[in-house]
Amino acid sequence: MAEENSSSNSISNSNSNSHRLPLMLYNTMTKKKEVFVPKVPNKVGMYVCGVTAYDFSHIGHARAYVSFDVLFRLLKYLGYEVTYVRNFTDVDDKIINRANELKEKNPDDPLSEPLKLSDFYCKEFLKDVDDLQCLRPTIEPRVSDHIEDIIEMIEELIKKDCAYSLDDGDVYFSVDNFKRYGQLSNRNLEDNRPGERVSVDHRKRNYADFALWKSAKPGEIFWPSPWGNGRPGWHIECSAMSAKYLTHSFDIHGGGIDLIFPHHENELAQSCAACEEAHIGYWVHNGFVNINGEKMSKSTGNYFTIREVTELYHPLALRYFLLSMNYDSPVNFSLPQTDLASDAVFRIYQTLQDCCDALRPFQENVSEKAKAVSKKVDKPSDSEKLKEDFESKMLDDLHAADILKGSLQDALRSINNELNGLKKKPKQQKFLVVQSLTDLEATIKNVLDVLGLASTAPYSEVLQQLKEKALIRAKMTEDEVSSMIEERALARKNKDFAKSDQIRSELTAKGISLMDLPTGTTWRPCVPEGKE
């Protein structure tokens, strides 16, 4: 019998050698798709740059971590043993500035201490990505726990004449002494724009030199170092932490496209300058999130936090939306687009629930009974077609959007068609249909699992959660909807069809779709009229 739930932690493992197609990934370094070959057979090391924890995370963060969660899940599906490292930057100018702002407003505010502030937002970030069903990485290091590792790497860079210290204790990386600087972003030093993240420092030997260690200003958090009290620069953090957990040579380094320069370029320079054997196999970057056609930006206020969206929409709806464009393409976020994503998730779970309900009477020996009446079939089953298309699309640089819009929709239509014809089938033939539906439902659950769209809750519970979010968006209660349904039923009884249509239209405009069934009228969420 089909199970009424699906687990987000039940990713099917299979040996990568059993797949006819290799995994292809677009490598930012080479500017082309390449066959993925790990440095150690059957093992993968992946580092993804994490958040700077000074505020609630926004949907740009969600795009990155959903994208790399899908890659993490796919690698596990292919049978790899994956060490996934995603850091927290819990020491940074932005964190210190936010803590100081809070201290000015209220000196007793517990979040006015930088590490307490960042700890709070690290935990809130984890709540958000848990809601989005991102699997926890293998290791989640914080900068404040790796100061010694960072200092050791800076000392190595100074020893190799790729870094220099100033009298006040600041330490800078020397781009002139690393001849391969710019190899990832293909930028010339003349193209660099100083002052993007920090103010221009005229004490530097080259204006493109970047900070490895910053001397402490009065009242700032600091750690002792050979150059005096201070704290790490932004870029050195990831070089030190990735080296600690994955060595200087590992398979995949990921992050948003905005990190290619300066962060990843500087990170690459540091790592290669510190260790000649340093090498990252594949640099993978996800695209921007735009809002209403403009690049999302906190500085302009043009952004949504993850939490603002999930207060109105089921987290699965936001995740579906983020997967509706291929990971390396820009995606334009809007609430109407999220309405469409929410509707798509509802249709998926309603179809699976309908399938589960139909299969419930057929609980035992379905396989044997199906075999007894089966005939030789030359064409692949719907389940086999879905699995084959899913693997071919995902192995071709994670084309999840093509699956959501294509083969998954075909599979859902197949279920509905089979369900519509099930009652008309002769008794013995029904077992063939039941077996086909059972296989197809299981394959859909596997696909959803790798995409992170499966839920540990029963289908019915997910549907109820989606309805509850629809009521929040409509600013209505269940009782108010029921009252309008009763009012409409009375109007229909009195043949006042104009009023009946008016009530239906009012609800549809709010995202509530009425369905008249033999057993009575019920409702489901829909895209509000006018937002399609």
Side-chain angles (χ1 to χ4, degrees), residues 365-381:
N365 302 322
V366 172
S367 223
E368 289 74 7
K369 292 175 181 177
K371 286 178 184 177
V373 294
S374 66
K375 297 179 181 179
K376 185 177 179 181
V377 179
D378 293 327
K379 65 177 184 178
S381 67

Side-chain angles (χ1 to χ4, degrees), residues 88-107:
F88 283 109
T89 295
D90 63 343
V91 180
D92 185 81
D93 292 340
K94 292 181 179 180
I95 296 168
I96 293 170
N97 292 340
R98 177 61 59 84
N100 288 339
E101 290 171 8
L102 294 174
K103 184 171 287 187
E104 288 179 10
K105 294 177 182 177
N106 179 10

Side-chain angles (χ1 to χ4, degrees), residues 133-293:
Q133 299 200 160
C134 295
L135 300 176
R136 290 287 181 95
T138 318
I139 305 166
E140 296 181 282
R142 299 190 185 193
V143 172
S144 60
D145 295 326
H146 295 81
I147 301 298
E148 290 184 11
D149 302 304
I150 292 168
I151 290 173
E152 286 178 11
M153 181 170 277
I154 295 173
E155 288 179 318
E156 187 66 23
L157 290 169
I158 292 175
K159 188 188 303 181
K160 293 188 174 179
D161 198 28
C162 286
Y164 58 93
S165 61
L166 300 177
D167 292 340
D168 64 358
D170 287 346
V171 182
Y172 287 94
F173 184 88
S174 174
V175 297
D176 289 327
N177 289 0
F178 183 73
K179 301 307 179 187
R180 288 178 286 157
Y181 189 79
Q183 61 184 316
L184 180 64
S185 61
N186 287 336
R187 292 170 65 104
N188 297 317
L189 287 179
E190 297 76 32
D191 298 332
N192 292 347
R193 292 175 294 173
E196 294 240 341
R197 189 173 174 94
V198 294
S199 59
V200 180
D201 189 341
H202 296 287
R203 302 168 303 153
K204 297 188 289 185
R205 297 174 183 174
N206 184 314
Y207 64 77
D209 292 349
F210 52 89
L212 300 174
W213 187 261
K214 298 180 178 183
S215 57
K217 297 174 184 176
E220 281 189 350
I221 186 172
F222 66 84
W223 287 264
S225 82
W227 318 283
N229 293 335
R231 54 193 170 83
W234 178 34
H235 314 297
I236 192 68
E237 304 164 356
C238 289
S239 287
M241 289 186 285
S242 62
K244 180 176 180 66
Y245 294 105
L246 298 173
T247 76
H248 282 281
S249 183
F250 57 93
D251 299 298
I252 299 169
H253 196 311
I257 194 171
D258 55 318
L259 296 182
I260 295 175
F261 186 89
H263 185 50
H264 285 168
E265 188 69 72
N266 293 350
E267 197 184 329
L268 176 61
Q270 295 162 160
S271 297
C272 291
C275 177
E276 293 180 2
E277 290 76 33
H279 182 262
I280 293 166
Y282 306 83
W283 289 88
V284 181
H285 294 93
N286 64 275
F288 282 126
V289 173
N290 299 320
I291 294 186
N292 298 322

